[in-house]
Amino acid sequence: QQPRRFVKTLIIEQVVDAVNNQRLGINEAIQRGLINSSVTSYYHAVRQHQISIADAYDQGYVLGRLVDQTPTS
């Protein structure tokens, strides 16, 4: 029997605007240009550069929770 494999999925609940430390919903963050529409990077307006969603999560700019999911294939 093969061991069960899981994929970690980040469920984004809020995004922090680095300029004013305001918490935003994902749609507003996309509208303001903090998250690109494919949700693969975060724009840090103070440092003026893009960082990965994983790094933004680690640094506290993307707030959410990690969940385990079983791959479908």
Side-chain angles (χ1 to χ4, degrees):
Q1 183 176 1
Q2 293 182 347
R4 291 189 71 170
R5 295 174 52 193
F6 294 96
V7 174
K8 291 279 188 191
T9 301
L10 175 61
I11 307 299
I12 298 174
E13 296 169 345
Q14 293 181 320
V15 177
V16 177
D17 185 332
V19 173
N20 57 20
N21 212 31
Q22 181 182 11
R23 292 180 179 198
L24 308 171
I26 188 71
N27 290 332
E28 189 170 357
I30 290 170
Q31 290 173 351
R32 291 189 185 189
L34 298 176
I35 298 283
N36 62 11
S37 60
S38 59
V39 191
T40 58
S41 64
Y42 171 86
Y43 179 71
H44 192 292
V46 174
R47 296 183 186 148
Q48 297 185 346
H49 70 88
Q50 301 271 348
I51 59 176
S52 72
I53 292 295
D55 286 343
Y57 176 75
D58 289 342
Q59 294 174 31
Y61 294 111
V62 170
L63 307 174
R65 56 191 161 81
L66 289 171
V67 295
D68 288 328
Q69 293 185 331
T70 305
T72 55
S73 56

